[in-house]
Structure formats: structure tokens, C-alpha cells
């Protein structure tokens, strides 16, 4: 006897999915090429590994870094514009998110009941803010680092030094945030969100159980 397929709810539209995977692609290329600019691959003999010689080529990693930066800047401005235009503020942090995040984490550890959530959990909204601020810091300091190489632009050495320091710190902060983001899927309950960034849909039972406030709004609109 065939089992009925679980009902789905549309969670992530095509625009959100394209932004997400565009960010993944651009950030991945920026981190790989950025570490090559330091240059860490030569320092730790990574270039001696089979197929990794190109990581030590400054011209290749520089071009890769610029291409990744252009893609990231385009996606950031597109993301900001489309969300203001569409008035989609679900991922913006709200008052009480820190306290609510602690309750959710505590519930996952103790296997207790989580507080009712909207489309995004409080911890997801805080992560969105942290990643967003870090990326903006990288974009702004990146512009300054590019500006110092333009002949008709004069930037004080102190500004360049501070920008470079912030850029490097933000890079490693972003790496940590990415690791934390991926580590969140170790928790079984969070894995139900993965299909949302691929197909756009998540299971209705998951939404009904964990995002009850959002689920009620969806049902109200359907009436």
C-alpha cells in the first residue's frame, strides 16, 4: 500500500534561493582566493598538493577575488532592493530575539517544547543580522582596498590599514558564522529546512509544529 506524500508549504521563492546560492558561490570564491592573497597556500605548502598549484598564482587568485566580489556586491544590492520593494521583513531581528533564541536552544537540549515561532526562528533572524553586517563590512572595506590602487584616489595610510584589518577580521568572523550555520543542521529538527533552499518547499507538518505563528497566517490567507 502506497503512503500518501506529505503536504508541502512554499517557504523560499526563486529570488531567495538564487540569492542564497549566489552568496554561497561568491563567498566561497572570495574565501579561497582571499586566503591565496595572504598568501597562506604557499606558506603552508598547500600548493604542493596535486591540482593545487594554481592557488599560489597571484594573478589567478586576484582575478578570482574580483569576480567573486563583483558577484557578491550585485547580489547584496539586489537582495536589499528586492526586500524593500517587496516589503519582506520576515528575517529582520525583533525585540526579544536573544531571549527567545535561548529558549529554543534550551528546548532542543532538554527536548522540551519550543516557543511558537514565525516564518524564521529567532536564532535564524539573529544569524541573518550577523552574517549581513559581516558581509557589508567586507564590501565597504573591500571598496577602500580597491580605491587605494586607483591612481586618482588618495586614501590616508591609516584608513587603508584600519580597513585591511577590519577586512581580515570580518573574513574569519564570516568563516566562523558559516561553520556555525552548517553545524546547526546537526540538529535533526533543522534538517527539515534544507529542501526549502533547493525546491522552495518544506513539509506542512514541520511548519505546523515549529512555525505555528507563520502557519496560522498562511491558513488565514487561504480562508
Amino acid at each position: 500500500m502506497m503512503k500518501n506524500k506529505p503536504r508541502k508549504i512554499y517557504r523560499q521563492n526563486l529570488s531567495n534561493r538564487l540569492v542564497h546560492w549566489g552568496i554561497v558561490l561568491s563567498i566561497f570564491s572570495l574565501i579561497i582566493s582571499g586566503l591565496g592573497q595572504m598568501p597562506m597556500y604557499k606558506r603552508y605548502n598547500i600548493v604542493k598538493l596535486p591540482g593545487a598549484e594554481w592557488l599560489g598564482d597571484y594573478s589567478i587568485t586576484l582575478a578570482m577575488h574580483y569576480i567573486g566580489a563583483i558577484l557578491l556586491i550585485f547580489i547584496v544590492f539586489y537582495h536589499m532592493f528586492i526586500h524593500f520593494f517587496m516589503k519582506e521583513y520576515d528575517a529582520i531581528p525583533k525585540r526579544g530575539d536573544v531571549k527567545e533564541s535561548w529558549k529554543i536552544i534550551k528546548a532542543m537540549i532538554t527536548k522540551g517544547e519550543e516557543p511558537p515561532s514565525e516564518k524564521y526562528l529567532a536564532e535564524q533572524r539573529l544569524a541573518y543580522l550577523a552574517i549581513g553586517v559581516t558581509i557589508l563590512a567586507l564590501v565597504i572595506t573591500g571598496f577602500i582596498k580597491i580605491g587605494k590602487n586607483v591612481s586618482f584616489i588618495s586614501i590616508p595610510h591609516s584608513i587603508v590599514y584600519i580597513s585591511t584589518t577590519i577586512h581580515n577580521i570580518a573574513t574569519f568572523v564570516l568563516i566562523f558564522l558559516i561553520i556555525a550555520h552548517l553545524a546547526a543542521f546537526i540538529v535533526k529538527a533543522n534538517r527539515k529546512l534544507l529542501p526549502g533552499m533547493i525546491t522552495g518547499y518544506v513539509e506542512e507538518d514541520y511548519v505546523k509544529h515549529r512555525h505555528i505563528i507563520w502557519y496560522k497566517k498562511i491558513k488565514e490567507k487561504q480562508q
Side-chain angles (χ1 to χ4, degrees), residues 9 11 104 114-122 124-125 189-190 192-193 202-218:
I9 286 182
R11 179 177 171 86
I104 293 171
E114 294 183 8
S117 295
E118 299 190 34
K119 183 176 182 179
Y120 296 97
L121 302 175
Q124 292 171 334
R125 292 194 292 267
N190 291 335
K192 294 285 187 179
L193 290 170
V202 293
E203 293 183 7
E204 182 177 8
D205 286 343
Y206 165 79
V207 176
K208 187 177 180 179
H209 170 72
R210 207 170 190 215
H211 300 269
I212 186 62
I213 297 176
W214 179 46
Y215 184 74
K216 288 180 178 179
K217 289 180 181 178
I218 293 172

Side-chain angles (χ1 to χ4, degrees), residues 69-82:
I70 292 169
L71 176 60
L72 178 64
I73 292 168
F74 171 78
I75 293 172
V76 166
F77 280 99
Y78 167 80
H79 180 66
M80 293 173 67
F81 171 78
I82 203 71

Side-chain angles (χ1 to χ4, degrees), residues 29-182:
S29 65
L30 284 166
I31 291 174
I32 295 297
S33 57
L35 294 177
Q37 298 289 295
M38 287 187 175
M40 293 184 67
Y41 302 123
K42 286 185 177 180
R43 187 177 303 159
Y44 296 103
N45 294 319
I46 294 175
V47 293
K48 293 182 179 179
L49 296 173
E53 297 86 357
W54 65 274
L55 291 171
D57 190 320
Y58 182 84
S59 61
I60 293 177
T61 54
L62 181 63
M64 183 179 177
H65 205 70
Y66 279 142
I67 292 171
I70 292 169
L71 176 60
L72 178 64
I73 292 168
F74 171 78
I75 293 172
V76 166
F77 280 99
Y78 167 80
H79 180 66
M80 293 173 67
F81 171 78
I82 203 71
H83 277 267
F84 280 116
F85 181 76
M86 299 297 292
K87 295 182 180 180
E88 295 180 351
Y89 307 122
D90 295 317
I92 302 298
K94 301 177 181 180
R95 180 179 295 180
D97 275 356
V98 174
K99 185 177 181 180
E100 188 172 329
S101 293
W102 166 244
K103 289 181 179 179
I104 293 171
I105 294 171
K106 184 180 178 181
M108 286 190 293
I109 294 172
T110 61
K111 296 184 179 181
E113 186 176 349
E114 294 183 8
S117 295
E118 299 190 34
K119 183 176 182 179
Y120 296 97
L121 302 175
E123 61 197 60
Q124 292 171 334
R125 292 194 292 267
L126 293 176
Y128 174 82
L129 176 64
I131 292 174
V133 169
T134 306
I135 288 176
L136 283 177
L138 286 167
V139 169
I140 293 169
T141 54
F143 272 124
I144 295 173
K145 285 167 65 65
I146 291 173
K148 73 180 178 62
N149 296 322
V150 179
S151 59
F152 57 86
I153 297 178
S154 178
I155 301 176
H157 176 73
S158 58
I159 299 297
V160 174
Y161 175 78
I162 292 171
S163 296
T164 301
T165 302
I166 293 174
H167 197 81
N168 292 340
I169 292 173
T171 297
F172 287 101
V173 169
L174 185 59
I175 292 173
F176 170 78
L177 290 172
I178 291 171
I179 293 172
H181 175 65
L182 295 174

